[in-house]
Amino acid sequence: MTRPKVYIARKIPEQLLSPYRNQWEIEMWPYEDLPVRREELHKQMGQADAIFITLTDVVDQELIDGAKQLKIIANMAVGYDNIDIDYARKKGVIVTNTPDVLTESTADLTFALLLAASRRLIEANEYIKEGKWTTWSPLFMAGTDIHHKTLGIVGMGRIGEAVAHRAKGFHMNVLYHNRRRKPEAEEKLGAVYVGFEELLTNSDFVVCMTPLTQETKDLFNRRAFQLMKETAVFVNTSRGGTVNEEDLYQALKTGEILAAGLDVFQNEPIGKDHPLLQLDNVTALPHIGSATRDTRYQMMKLALENIDRVLQGKEAKTPVK
Ligand code: DGY
């Protein structure tokens, strides 16, 4: 019997693949730290029954058209804006993502970034390491308080809720804005639903947790930043495309908002000359929201399990609906 062909578009640990070696004919991109070349992915998709990709791989109409026997695109990420979902659906290709397994780790990182940006942790760390610490003074490295302040969460999905949960431990008031109201979250977390503009106006911290879609592209633009408090801290661990980076730059430069903590950017990866990296009030991270070993292993495992199920004619565990 011929085995289904599975293409893994990033080198992943052998221990995760070995349970499937007898069932599948596996081809794998040989590098862990380099994304697959588009032509290679195109070629592989022409022969594969299943592909395992990461968020750096853009799967558009052209690539889907080249896939003659593809049944599943398993994305190792909860976000799936790198895939033309509608077209895949039209062509009968199942798309899966990796929700749940990364919720808590991503919420941890989001909260860490909020703390770091507000209490100037990275700046202080650089200061001491550069040997600049000579004395203590009243307003030295003074940041902004987090406890008892108002947190505004835009996009109250699983991760948004997990961030709200952490905020309760800091005695914060939580506002949220979402496509639909979440009465369970309101009850459980005391979160208050408000309109987008009301959230921007009243929050001390605005956290973007919404997926990138046509509707949320550039959601955080000039007007949004102007509506925020001058003391507001903006945090984004979702997707860079939700933010107009030029507008954010202006808002941070001119003092329209106080600071930003950014884990994601419009065009990743960014180099050290990126304008936002030139600002002292920006704390930046290289898209590491879910980056713990445990969570990344869980994500890889889940993507492989989805492939396994679909190739066996079963329903995927976490299909994108
Ligand atoms: C995702 O899963 O979408 C994150 O951005 C990476 O973990």
Side-chain angles (χ1 to χ4, degrees), residues 8 150 201 238 258:
I8 313 284
T150 298
T201 320
S238 160
L258 183 72

Side-chain angles (χ1 to χ4, degrees), residues 191-220:
V192 176
Y193 179 84
V194 288
F196 181 57
E197 297 202 344
E198 197 180 336
L199 181 144
L200 299 179
T201 320
N202 292 306
S203 299
D204 298 303
F205 300 90
V206 176
V207 175
C208 171
M209 306 276 10
T210 185
L212 176 61
T213 62
Q214 287 303 333
E215 292 78 50
T216 63
K217 188 169 168 2
D218 278 353
L219 180 66
F220 292 93

